[in-house]
Amino acid sequence: MKTLLLSAPGEFQDYRRQLHKDVCIGFVPTMGALHEGHLSLIKASKQNNTHTVVSIFVNPTQFGANEDFTQYPRDIQKDFKICQEAGVDVVFAPEISQMYPNNDEISINPPKNMGYIYEGFIREGHFNGVLTIVLKLIHLICPHHIYFGQKDAQQLLLIKRLVSDTFLPTKVIPCPTQRDFDGLALSSRNIYLSPQDRKEALKIPIALQNIKKAIQEGEINTSVLIELGKKELKGLEVAYLDACDYNLVQIQKIRQNASIILIAAKVGKTRLIDNLWI
Ligand code: PAF
């Protein structure tokens, strides 16, 4: 099987039109710098669809003015090879001007209660950028299934809202966070960590493990669980450690299949996020 590399939206639309009407398209949107986390999404897509499309696009509108847009790792050849080896049907890698052809762009606002807390509070305009590009990509790719990692919990919940509130004919498939051998959640930004940072960063998954264990032992009081997590995170610059429901409303008590613990912390110069779905 040959993996196609398409860069123009029109080219993708031509490809999509010539497919048989019975195909089932799985779509994995990415910003490249592919790692095992992305591969797990690709694998999930390949299992349940006839065709898998991966987009690689470092989306400028989701980066704040002081963020790492220009430094963000880019290696399209390496990423394309990874996709080829994983059996991806199409890699869609557009230019910025192709996804944003106008100076005065349409932008999607997230719901006020979900879009401007946690990541949305720290990263002004971040979710406007994410929702805008994901909406454009869904319209273009027309996937039956779209795959997202649970690591970006707030992003995943907001995209579910985007899909349901705007009646998009696609199903969002959440996939579990992939971790390195030492427990650190995989992220394209982990390459920014020095060896010392990396050791410090492990406090994050350990804090989540401790919280998980306490919940398994019957603790449901979120103030107790958060204190437990804080103890482990000492020394890190914690942006938030919180417990909320799937509407991102803070909760006092854990409810099974309805709660998340969210962490964001800076390690050295790198901001990491991780979470626990309960
Ligand atoms: O999670 C990401 O990599 C990005 O936010 C996404 C969903 C590809 C949109 O640019």
Side-chain angles (χ1 to χ4, degrees), residues 51-101:
H51 293 67
T52 291
V53 177
V54 172
S55 66
I56 297 180
F57 181 65
V58 185
N59 175 35
T61 61
Q62 69 187 73
F63 288 80
N66 301 318
E67 292 185 21
D68 56 346
F69 175 66
T70 48
Q71 292 103 299
Y72 199 84
R74 291 167 175 85
D75 190 341
I76 182 71
Q77 271 166 14
K78 184 170 167 210
D79 286 341
F80 183 69
K81 199 156 169 267
I82 291 173
C83 288
Q84 268 180 322
E85 280 162 12
V88 168
D89 296 272
V90 180
V91 173
F92 176 61
E95 299 293 330
I96 293 177
S97 61
Q98 289 169 312
M99 294 313 288
Y100 294 106

